Amino acid sequence: MNPTTRRTFLKQAVTATTTLAGLGLPSRAAERQAAKAALAPRLPWYRRTLRWGQTNITEIDPDRYDIAWWRKHWKRTQTQGVIINAGGIVAYYPSRVPLHHQAQRLGGRDLFGELCRAAHDDGLAVFARMDSNRAHEEFYQAHPDWFAIDMTGKPHRAADLFITCVNGPYYEEHIPAILREIAERYHPEGFTDNSWSGLGRGTICYCENCRKRFRERAGHDIPREKNWNDPAYREWIRWNYDRRLEIWDLNNRVTRAAGGPDCIWAGMNSGSVSGQCQSFRDYKEICRRADIIMLDHQARTDATGFQHNGEAGKLIHGLLGWDKLIPESMAMYQAGGPTFRLASKPEPEARLWMLDGIAGGLQPWWHYIGAYHEDRRMYRTAESVYRWHKDHEEFLINRQPIASVGVVWSQQNTDFFGRDDAEALVELPWRGVMQALIRARIPYLPLHADHIDRDAGQFSLLVLPNVGALSDGQVASVRRFVERGGGLMATGETSLFNEWGDPRPDFALADLLGAHVVDARHASDEARRKKNASDTAHTYLRLSPEKRAQVDGPQTGTEPAIKGERHQVLRGFEETDILPFGGVLGPLRVDAGAQVLATFVPSFPIYPPETAWMREPKTDVPGLILKTTTAGGRVAFLPADLDRRFARNNLPDHGNLLASMIRWAAKDDIPLAVEGAGLIDCHVYRQPGRLILHLVNLTSAAAWRQPIHELIPVGPLQVRVRLPPGVRRSRARFLVSGKEVPTFAKAGWNRFEVKSILDHEVIVIG
Ligand SMILES: [Zn+2]
């Protein structure tokens, strides 16, 4: 950063303090803010630029980019940093790097330079945006050996562009030359890159550079085809991951050498773990290196909902640390299903995506395609969220999440257990557990399987949603957690495979789960396992013990009455002896001392109705097993894939049973309780001396079908929250409605009421 820019930053920090004081915040907060502002200049730009914006420039924009208008927009939205298209596929400045394609209507204009200067003059940080994974035909003709090719030598193409190979000079010479040119000429604060990681997992490149390098590493040729069971293919996967990390490191060396130690290269990353797998981006390793994560995760899908944004924030912060920033590109245009680049995304839809992301610790980054729009409604969407964000930014960063439930994941599980069916095998079980937690308002944190030992102290319970592939080391971490008295909930095929997805003879956690594989052939029968995961069968779970003689309903007279109290996990199901299931279960050997709470009822006909009776009403195939460990912890094992079923079929029975198991296994050690109707995504944090609670109202007619048309208020909600050590009870301050309400203390809990929430509320205590 040049001295002028640094002065402007300083000026901004002072202005921010004055404004906050002017808003009538308690003087303590203003003082704290002032103290922070005084410290701020010592933080590098990537740690203090909280609100971002991007006008993604099209090739005809050099003709029509109204910089003065956009500067007003930056100001109006309190934007502190901008992402400006610089180079890569298309250059927006007169580049001297050979074959660096100039934007169609650049015509000698230095658009990037003008924008960069304008941003710097306004005190904004600049990320020069690159897009470096393909090139025009002219480039291909000049250097055909720099491009990815198939086995027959044919280049891989995307529309009329040619895809460059990550192992060629394009990445080692051409892109570094561009980075150096931009860094030296324009001094952007850093670089980001839209699609830096090259060809995805779906395609194998057989260019000379790839062949040579792979042979040097592996001692044999690149695999001719995908085969997850082939060690050469697995090696190829790992090699590809390593290569992306090399590119990450190389680009950072180049930009820091040319632009100074803070001139970072940050790439871009996805909010979807399987997206990262498809692109060979090792999230854990990237976060170990990164100073900031630029998150390209623009909109919800119907399957994952707004809540996925809060989840993504927490998952990535879990790897990156909570002291760093994760700006997220948030589409102001109709993105997703379907995409209309030039039409406004309905405001409530864009807004809830932003707010749920902010609740999960993400920073907002508005994103438009093109510099001119006939649908001007999109210009208004970000403003109110950004203004609110600026007014309350001290509560939205540098905070630690509070949760007693850790949900375990790993990228290697998505790769080697999920393979080509990660959606059914990994994502649906994960999503089902997430949704059960959110419905039940149970705060959770995604926990990487390699971080169990590191982070275990804060959790009462680990949930492993069908985490099939676990290494011996990861299994040992889970064991240590349970040996210390921690609770465990596992579903489906958890721990039945090693880190490569190779079957184990029995669950690696069998003794903890209280169940053993009877037929080891099950795990190797990949086709059958996939079919079971994908199909919905007409099957049920029978809850035990049954209470037939005690119920109000027709009696068959043929079955002996079984008396017995239902386990607390089955609370709420008193009026049924069965639950709809949909999956298929095989036999397991259950340890003495473990309790089977549900058994499998095999499939029988649905049609015609005359045939719809249970052929085998009762089996001893376990669907739900509970046990208590010698250390006093509780273990709930759910061989039945109700997590996957819940994500797919949305039956409330499945979500309720999952939540009930989680509460039981956590011994009700949940720091938050929210009562009142609605789908509310809850996130709890602490800062020194205070607690911060986000409640995002996802209740909507369009909760499962985008876009949302209108916001529907919920309330009143009765909230009970356990204050962490160091936080004293105080009135609850509402950062959205501006109200303050009294709180009531009871046995370490703090209770208060939230009258109504339209989109979100953020409550501060302490
Ligand atoms: Zn190649």
Side-chain angles (χ1 to χ4, degrees):
M1 187 181 300
N2 61 41
T4 323
T5 318
R6 192 176 297 283
R7 269 198 304 280
T8 324
F9 260 117
L10 271 165
K11 215 167 69 189
Q12 273 198 329
V14 175
T15 319
T17 318
T18 325
T19 319
L20 275 163
L23 282 172
L25 282 182
S27 59
R28 197 157 42 94
E31 277 167 25
R32 202 162 30 220
Q33 192 66 2
K36 245 177 57 185
L39 285 173
R42 283 183 221 146
L43 278 177
W45 63 275
Y46 46 78
R47 297 286 278 272
R48 64 175 196 273
T49 308
L50 305 183
R51 286 171 298 280
W52 289 87
Q54 180 187 10
T55 310
N56 211 336
I57 310 175
T58 67
E59 285 202 62
I60 66 163
D61 285 334
D63 265 0
R64 60 179 190 180
Y65 203 119
D66 181 352
I67 295 180
W69 187 90
W70 283 99
R71 286 175 90 157
K72 275 188 257 166
H73 194 64
W74 298 342
K75 201 165 187 174
R76 202 161 39 213
T77 52
Q78 313 285 341
T79 296
Q80 297 173 308
V82 282
I83 293 97
I84 306 174
N85 302 54
I89 301 173
V90 178
Y92 287 95
Y93 67 97
S95 174
R96 283 196 279 270
V97 176
L99 294 166
H100 193 195
H101 175 88
Q102 310 282 294
Q104 206 184 97
R105 297 210 187 153
L106 195 62
R109 183 177 178 184
D110 185 0
L111 182 57
F112 173 76
E114 289 173 43
L115 280 163
C116 193
R117 265 191 305 281
H120 281 162
D121 286 349
D122 289 354
L124 273 61
V126 172
F127 253 128
R129 176 203 184 264
M130 302 284 294
D131 198 342
S132 52
N133 78 336
R134 54 194 76 171
H136 289 76
E137 178 154 14
E138 182 198 5
F139 200 143
Y140 171 73
Q141 297 300 350
H143 295 288
D145 52 325
W146 293 15
F147 288 79
I149 57 172
D150 68 14
M151 221 181 310
T152 67
K154 217 168 87 214
H156 289 292
R157 300 179 62 159
D160 54 352
L161 298 177
F162 292 71
I163 296 174
T164 50
C165 176
V166 289
N167 283 303
Y170 177 88
Y171 283 85
E172 290 185 345
E173 295 166 22
H174 182 69
I175 292 298
I178 295 173
L179 294 173
R180 271 190 291 269
E181 180 177 67
I182 293 170
E184 284 160 6
R185 200 185 294 175
Y186 302 105
H187 312 291
E189 274 62 38
F191 289 82
T192 182
D193 194 312
N194 189 54
S195 49
W196 56 279
S197 49
L199 208 54
R201 194 176 83 186
T203 320
I204 300 178
C205 176
Y206 293 95
C207 80
E208 262 318 305
N209 292 311
C210 282
R211 284 170 187 272
K212 182 168 166 283
R213 287 190 179 194
F214 187 73
R215 199 174 300 118
E216 278 165 11
R217 159 149 164 168
H220 52 79
D221 286 338
I222 291 177
R224 298 182 66 80
E225 58 190 9
K226 176 173 65 187
N227 176 1
W228 289 98
N229 294 318
D230 174 8
Y233 183 71
R234 294 173 182 179
E235 180 73 13
W236 179 79
I237 295 273
R238 291 308 325 165
W239 174 66
N240 270 290
Y241 272 114
D242 291 348
R243 178 61 188 153
R244 271 59 179 187
L245 293 174
E246 284 170 14
I247 290 173
W248 185 283
D249 293 340
L250 167 67
N251 287 343
N252 268 287
R253 280 198 305 274
V254 170
T255 58
R256 288 171 203 254
D262 282 342
C263 186
I264 58 170
W265 180 92
M268 274 190 211
N269 285 283
S270 164
S272 143
V273 173
S274 57
Q276 292 289 89
C277 291
Q278 294 293 339
S279 309
F280 297 119
R281 300 172 185 166
D282 183 333
Y283 234 148
K284 186 161 68 91
E285 283 305 311
I286 285 173
C287 285
R288 226 163 51 77
R289 293 161 155 77
D291 293 303
I292 187 172
I293 287 290
M294 297 301 281
L295 186 60
D296 187 3
H297 192 44
Q298 301 201 38
R300 69 161 165 158
T301 66
D302 287 338
T304 54
F306 296 108
Q307 51 272 54
H308 190 257
N309 215 16
E311 176 199 317
K314 296 202 290 198
L315 183 141
I316 303 164
H317 272 301
L319 303 175
L320 184 69
W322 284 88
D323 52 343
K324 294 181 187 169
L325 303 178
I326 310 174
E328 180 192 58
S329 177
M330 296 163 168
M332 300 292 109
Y333 60 92
Q334 172 56 40
T339 294
F340 291 98
R341 294 285 210 187
L342 300 181
S344 297
K345 180 184 283 200
E347 200 257 351
E349 176 78 21
R351 188 175 176 85
L352 274 186
W353 182 250
M354 297 171 94
L355 294 176
D356 206 84
I358 291 169
L362 302 178
Q363 283 71 51
W365 155 10
W366 50 250
H367 181 205
Y368 305 98
I369 303 291
Y372 177 77
H373 302 97
E374 291 163 289
D375 185 345
R376 295 167 300 279
R377 295 172 296 178
M378 66 179 86
Y379 298 143
R380 286 197 290 275
T381 306
E383 190 175 335
S384 61
V385 175
Y386 271 56
R387 284 184 176 277
W388 177 84
H389 191 277
K390 178 183 167 41
D391 288 347
H392 302 290
E393 63 186 31
E394 63 166 318
F395 302 101
L396 305 176
I397 51 165
N398 295 326
R399 50 191 195 173
Q400 289 296 320
I402 296 178
S404 56
V405 176
V407 190
V408 176
W409 69 282
S410 81
Q411 198 163 338
Q412 134 222 304
N413 181 55
T414 306
D415 272 327
F416 292 106
F417 177 63
R419 301 187 173 189
D420 297 319
D421 301 276
E423 162 87 5
L425 295 175
V426 177
E427 291 188 345
L428 285 174
W430 171 270
R431 205 178 294 158
V433 165
M434 285 295 132
Q435 187 58 14
L437 287 162
I438 288 166
R439 272 173 93 244
R441 290 96 180 242
I442 299 174
Y444 69 88
L445 284 173
L447 173 61
H448 194 282
D450 288 340
H451 295 158
I452 293 173
D453 289 322
R454 188 192 74 181
D455 295 347
Q458 63 187 301
F459 298 116
S460 303
L461 172 68
L462 298 185
V463 180
L464 281 77
N466 206 37
V467 184
L470 286 171
S471 69
D472 290 347
Q474 291 164 344
V475 167
S477 298
V478 175
R479 282 184 183 285
R480 279 190 287 275
F481 180 81
V482 174
E483 278 157 15
R484 287 193 295 265
L488 177 66
M489 173 168 146
T491 71
E493 297 175 314
T494 292
S495 83
L496 192 51
F497 301 81
N498 69 13
E499 66 269 39
W500 296 107
D502 290 331
R504 297 175 184 268
D506 195 0
F507 301 107
L509 294 168
D511 54 322
L512 295 184
L513 304 179
H516 302 265
V517 167
V518 174
D519 182 357
R521 283 171 306 180
H522 160 84
S524 343
D525 192 345
E526 218 172 313
R528 178 189 288 265
R529 286 178 38 241
K530 279 185 201 167
K531 185 170 159 35
N532 288 349
S534 316
D535 290 356
T536 300
H538 188 218
T539 59
Y540 294 77
L541 292 177
R542 177 165 300 283
L543 306 179
S544 43
E546 297 164 80
K547 299 198 291 184
R548 188 178 297 279
Q550 307 162 2
V551 300
D552 174 22
Q555 310 290 312
T556 66
T558 58
E559 297 256 338
I562 299 169
K563 289 189 183 179
E565 276 303 302
R566 282 275 174 79
H567 194 280
Q568 72 177 91
V569 163
L570 300 181
R571 204 166 285 158
F573 298 113
E574 288 78 7
E575 290 209 71
T576 179
D577 295 332
I578 56 164
L579 293 180
F581 174 31
V584 176
L585 290 173
L588 294 173
R589 182 166 57 76
V590 178
D591 286 341
Q595 192 181 0
V596 176
L597 284 202
T599 52
F600 179 57
V601 177
S603 175
F604 56 97
I606 291 178
Y607 293 112
E610 287 85 343
T611 64
W613 76 87
M614 289 178 185
R615 300 302 192 271
E616 196 180 350
K618 204 159 185 181
T619 69
D620 59 1
V621 175
L624 166 55
I625 302 165
L626 303 184
K627 65 172 276 189
T628 302
T629 65
T630 46
R634 292 174 174 177
V635 178
F637 176 39
L638 187 68
D641 58 345
L642 294 186
D643 42 2
R644 171 162 44 218
R645 303 283 149 196
F646 184 47
R648 187 181 282 143
N649 302 326
N650 201 28
L651 295 182
D653 281 349
H654 294 172
N656 291 340
L657 184 53
L658 289 164
S660 185
M661 290 168 65
I662 289 167
R663 287 187 186 286
W664 176 80
K667 297 184 180 172
D668 282 317
D669 177 26
I670 312 287
L672 176 74
V674 179
E675 286 163 33
L679 178 62
I680 300 164
D681 194 8
C682 309
H683 300 256
V684 195
Y685 298 92
R686 65 183 157 79
Q687 283 177 333
R690 65 193 181 199
L691 174 136
I692 298 153
L693 168 64
H694 286 251
L695 302 176
V696 187
N697 175 19
L698 304 181
T699 315
S700 160
W704 298 110
R705 189 179 174 209
Q706 58 177 312
I708 214 162
H709 296 196
E710 62 174 345
L711 300 171
I712 299 172
V714 295
L717 302 170
Q718 306 304 324
V719 179
R720 211 154 49 90
V721 64
R722 210 164 49 202
L723 295 185
V727 178
R728 280 206 303 238
R729 192 170 68 83
S730 73
R731 290 168 69 80
R733 187 144 58 102
F734 294 6
L735 300 185
V736 177
S737 70
K739 289 180 189 147
E740 257 189 46
V741 301
T743 64
F744 304 94
K746 197 177 172 187
W749 290 80
N750 215 350
R751 184 190 277 276
F752 59 93
E753 184 181 78
V754 182
K755 275 262 179 320
S756 176
I757 302 179
L758 182 59
D759 47 13
H760 76 142
E761 187 54 89
V762 180
I763 298 125
V764 180
I765 296 174

